[in-house]
Amino acid sequence: MSRVIMLIPLDNNVGISTISLSLIYFFKEKIFYSAPKKSILYFSCVNNTHDSMFIFLKKHCSKFVHFLKNIDFSQEILNSSEYFSLLNKTIENIYKNKALYELILIEGIQQCFHVDATEINHDISQNVSAEVIFLDNLKKYSFQNVQEKVKKIKCLTKRKKYKNVLGIIFNKINSPLIEKKYSFIKKLKIINNINKNIITLVDHEKIFRNVPFPIIASIPWNKNIQEIYSIDIYKYLNVELIHLEKKYKNIVKEIMIFDENDINLFNKNSSNIFVIVAFSRLKDFIKMLHIVNANKKKIIAIILTSTSLSKEKVIFLCKTLIEQNIEFSITKKNTIEILTQLQNFTFHEKLNNIEYVSALKEYICSFFDLFYITAKKKFTYGIKYSPKEFCYNLKLLSRKKNKRIILPESYEIRILQAVSICQENNIAQCVLLGDAKKIYSIANHHNIFLQDNIEIINPDSIREKYIKRFLELRKHKVIDQHFARKQLENNITLATLILESNAVDGLVSGSVNTTADTIRPALQLIKTDNHSSLVSSSLFMLLHDEVLIYSDCAININPNAEELAEIALQSSRLLEIFGIEPRIAMLSYSTGFSGSGSTVDKIRTATRIVKNKKPNVIIDGPIQYDAAVSKTVCKLKAPDSPILGSANIFIFPDLNAGNIAYKAVQRSANTFAIGPILQGLKKPVNDLSRGASVEDIIYTIALTSIQAI
C-alpha cells in the first residue's frame, strides 16, 4: 500500500512546483533507490498539463513518475454539486491507485487560484487520509518572523483539524522577491545586486523552537540557483540562434534596449548585458560596440528584432559580433513584442533546462530531513476513515459482494434514482417489487434511466405461493389464509418473505413507510440470529473528519444491562466488517465512579458483561461523551481509560438519549448519517428515514449488501 502525501501551501510564492519536483527525486534517489520499478503517481489540484514542471516530468521522468490528469479545482465553487463530484472522482482515483504506486504525491491549490483554497486543500487531504506537508515562505530569517508564521499556522489548525501532519517546509528563506510582483527585468537587477550567493542558516533550534510541527526542511533562497543564462532567454523567446558562445555559460545580469543616443548606459560599471537591438540599427550598434567592449566584456548577447534577411546575410553583416564572441539571435518580431514577452518570463521557465533542474533539485534535497520524511505517521489505533473514504469503501465492499437487495417501495422517485445509480456503478443487484409498466412510467416521467435487465417482481404474480410459508412462520398465532393473504398485500411483508426464502440477500425500506412498518415483519418472519437475543440499530455518523457509530437510536426504548451489552457487541461486530478496531464508550452522565444511581449501575454492569464475553475488546463505561472523544478531557476525568479519548462506538443508555443526540448532531453540525442499520437479524433488513436523500438510500443499499452472508 502506497503513501499518500499532500503538499499544502500556506501562502503564495512558496515554490510548490520546485518542492514537488525535489520530493519526487528525493523519494526516487533516497527511499526507492533499491527498487527501480517502484513508481510514483503525481497530480496537481490545478490543471497543470501546460505547466513547465509537468512538461519536464513528462519528458524526463516518465519511467518512474505517472500522472493523474483532468483534476482541476481552481474553478470549482466550494460545496457545489460539481465540486463534490470532482472530490469524489479524486478520492476514487487515489484509492484505485494505492496498490499500484509506492508514493502518491498531491500538489495542493494555492490561494492565488481560489478564495476557498484552504477549505479545498483540507477536504482533499483529509478525505484521502494524506500525510500533510505544509509549505510556507520566510521573508526574513528571524524568531519574530517565524512566530508570525506560527501564529497563522496555529490559527489554521485550530479552525481546520488535520489528522496526519508530517511536518512543514519553509522555503525561500530571506528571499528579496517575496510578496512583491516584480517584472522579470526588475528581478534580474535585484538578484545581481546581491553580493552573497547563499545565506547560511544559524541558530535553527532557537528560531524554530515554537513551530508546532517537525521542520522537514528550511531552505534558504539561493542567488546561484536563480541566476539566468542567455540560453534560458533564447529558449523562452523561441528565437533563431545564429551564434552561441559555447566556451562560457553566460549569466545575464542586465537587459537593455539599444539606443545610440544613450551610449553612457553601456559605459557604467555593469557587465554581462543582454541587448535588444532593432535590425535597422545594427550598424550603429556595431560602431558603439568597439567603444563599449574595448577593455572588458560588457555585452555578452544580443537579439536582432524585426529581421527579415536570410540567415547567411545576417552572419555576413555580424562578423564583428562573432569575432568578439558575442552571442546573437534573430527574430521577425519587433522590439516591443520581444520586450512584452520577456516581461512574462518566470524562473519556472528554466525547468526546460536539465542542468538547472539538476542543480535545483540537488540544492533543495540537501535540506530535506530524511528522518521526518521517512517517519510515516501511524494512527495510535487501527484504521480511521474519513467520511468520504468510508463511503468509497462502502461502495467498494458492496461491489465485491454483489448481493441481491430487494426494495419494496418501488414507486418512490428517490428509490428509483438510487437504483439507477447502483446499477450504473455495480454497487448491488437491486430487485424492485412492483408493476413493471408503472415503474418504467414513473422513471421515464422523471428522466430516470433504468437498464432493461433490471429485475422487477410483480407482487400479484407471486403472492399466493408465499401464503403457506407465512402461515408456517406464524403458526403460534391463530390466523387463517384470509388473514395471511391480507397481510401479504403489504409489499414490505411480502418482500420480507422473499428474503426469508433466500431468493434475495437483503431488504431496504422506509422511504415512505415508518420504522415499525419495516421492522415488524422482520421480527415476525426473519427473527434474530444465533448470536443475538434482540434486534438493535446503529447509525454511522459521518462527521467532518471521522466516522462514528451511535447505538441504539431507533428500537430499544429502555434496555437493561444485558441488552445494552448485547447492543455494544452487535455494534462492534458491525464496525469490524470494515477492518476498524472497535473502541466502545458506554455513555452516561457520569465518568468512572464520579456518579451513582440505578442508571450508572446499569451501564457499569453492561460494561462488565461485554468484557467477560469479549475480553480483548476496548471498552469503558460509564463515561461521559466529552471524555470519550477528547484526549485532553479523558486525561483529566479518566486517566486510566483504555479508550484514550478516541472512541468510535457510542452506546446510549436509552432511546431518548440516543435519538435526541443523533438528530441534534446531524442537524446542528450539518453531518451525514447512514441508517439506522438493524443488527441481530438472521438476514439484513434496513430502515430508511422518510426524509432520506438519494445518497442515503445508495449507502444503505451498500451497507445491506455488505451485511449479507
Side-chain angles (χ1 to χ4, degrees), residues 364-638:
I364 291 177
C365 287
S366 69
F367 291 92
F368 286 152
D369 190 309
L370 182 63
F371 173 78
Y372 286 127
I373 291 179
T374 55
K376 180 181 177 182
K377 287 199 170 184
K378 293 182 179 179
F379 297 118
T380 54
Y381 55 94
I383 299 171
K384 184 178 180 181
Y385 289 118
S386 70
K388 291 193 178 293
E389 281 180 287
F390 179 77
C391 291
Y392 175 77
N393 275 281
L394 267 185
K395 291 186 282 189
L396 194 65
L397 289 171
S398 180
R399 196 174 292 135
K400 288 179 180 177
K401 286 242 181 178
N402 195 31
K403 296 295 184 178
R404 288 160 52 80
I405 309 301
I406 192 165
L407 298 108
E409 299 167 321
S410 54
Y411 304 138
E412 166 59 35
I413 297 165
R414 289 167 296 160
I415 294 290
L416 296 182
Q417 288 172 328
V419 167
S420 174
I421 295 169
C422 285
Q423 270 191 306
E424 184 181 350
N425 294 278
N426 299 314
I427 292 171
Q429 298 179 54
C430 295
V431 179
L432 293 172
L433 188 61
D435 179 77
K437 287 184 179 179
K438 187 174 180 180
I439 289 170
Y440 277 110
S441 175
I442 295 169
N444 291 335
H445 181 71
H446 291 90
N447 296 316
I448 301 168
F449 175 71
L450 295 177
Q451 295 176 12
D452 294 335
N453 63 348
I454 188 170
E455 186 174 354
I456 300 175
I457 300 174
N458 190 322
D460 295 335
S461 66
I462 62 166
R463 193 173 285 116
E464 286 297 321
K465 77 174 187 177
Y466 283 100
I467 291 175
K468 182 180 178 181
R469 182 58 179 162
F470 182 86
L471 291 171
E472 287 177 9
L473 292 169
R474 303 284 288 156
K475 62 185 178 183
H476 60 287
K477 297 288 184 180
V478 182
I479 56 175
D480 55 19
Q481 286 195 3
H482 175 74
F483 178 83
R485 191 173 285 108
K486 191 75 175 174
Q487 289 294 303
L488 291 177
E489 287 178 2
N490 183 315
N491 273 3
I492 297 177
T493 304
L494 180 58
T496 306
L497 268 178
I498 295 171
L499 173 62
E500 192 275 337
S501 71
N502 295 322
V504 294
D505 303 300
L507 183 152
V508 172
S509 180
S511 64
V512 291
N513 288 280
T514 65
T515 297
D517 290 335
T518 298
I519 295 175
R520 190 184 301 109
L523 293 172
Q524 294 172 346
L525 304 171
I526 302 294
K527 301 178 182 177
T528 57
D529 61 34
N530 296 330
H531 303 289
S532 304
S533 59
L534 82 165
V535 174
S536 67
S537 72
S538 283
L539 283 127
F540 283 96
M541 302 298 293
L542 277 59
L543 304 184
H544 186 66
D545 60 352
E546 62 184 337
V547 178
L548 307 175
I549 282 184
Y550 283 8
S551 304
D552 175 355
C553 304
I555 297 178
N556 297 283
I557 296 174
N558 189 22
N560 59 34
E562 290 74 16
E563 289 169 334
L564 271 180
E566 182 65 32
I567 293 167
L569 290 167
Q570 289 176 347
S571 301
S572 70
R573 287 195 289 270
L574 178 63
L575 197 58
E576 284 168 351
I577 292 174
F578 300 94
I580 302 173
E581 180 184 49
R583 301 174 70 83
I584 307 168
M586 306 294 283
L587 294 176
S588 172
Y589 63 81
S590 166
T591 294
F593 292 91
S594 64
S596 61
S598 58
T599 304
V600 177
D601 291 340
K602 177 179 75 169
I603 294 163
R604 189 172 289 117
T605 302
T607 304
R608 187 165 57 249
I609 293 170
V610 174
K611 287 179 179 178
N612 289 336
K613 288 186 175 182
K614 198 172 183 179
N616 294 327
V617 73
I618 298 172
I619 186 171
D620 197 9
I623 189 168
Q624 290 164 286
Y625 195 96
D626 57 352
V629 297
S630 169
K631 291 180 181 179
T632 304
V633 177
C634 190
K635 285 179 182 178
L636 292 172
K637 292 186 175 183

Side-chain angles (χ1 to χ4, degrees), residues 151-162:
K151 187 177 179 181
K152 182 179 71 174
I153 293 167
K154 286 182 176 179
C155 181
L156 169 67
T157 52
K158 185 177 180 181
R159 183 167 56 91
K160 295 284 181 185
K161 291 184 179 179
Y162 289 85

Side-chain angles (χ1 to χ4, degrees), residues 172-177 188 190-201 219-229 251 253 359 363 367:
K172 299 189 176 183
I173 297 176
N174 283 328
S175 169
L177 307 178
L188 203 59
I190 291 171
I191 290 170
N192 288 295
N193 284 333
I194 292 173
N195 293 323
K196 286 186 178 181
N197 289 337
I198 300 175
I199 300 170
T200 306
L201 302 184
I219 307 164
W221 180 82
N222 187 344
K223 173 185 174 180
N224 290 344
I225 296 292
Q226 299 291 345
E227 287 175 333
I228 300 296
Y229 297 96
I251 296 172
K253 294 186 177 180
Y363 176 73
F367 291 92

Side-chain angles (χ1 to χ4, degrees), residues 200-214:
T200 306
L201 302 184
V202 292
D203 297 329
H204 180 278
E205 291 184 6
K206 179 181 178 182
I207 288 178
F208 291 112
R209 67 174 180 266
N210 289 332
V211 177
F213 306 115

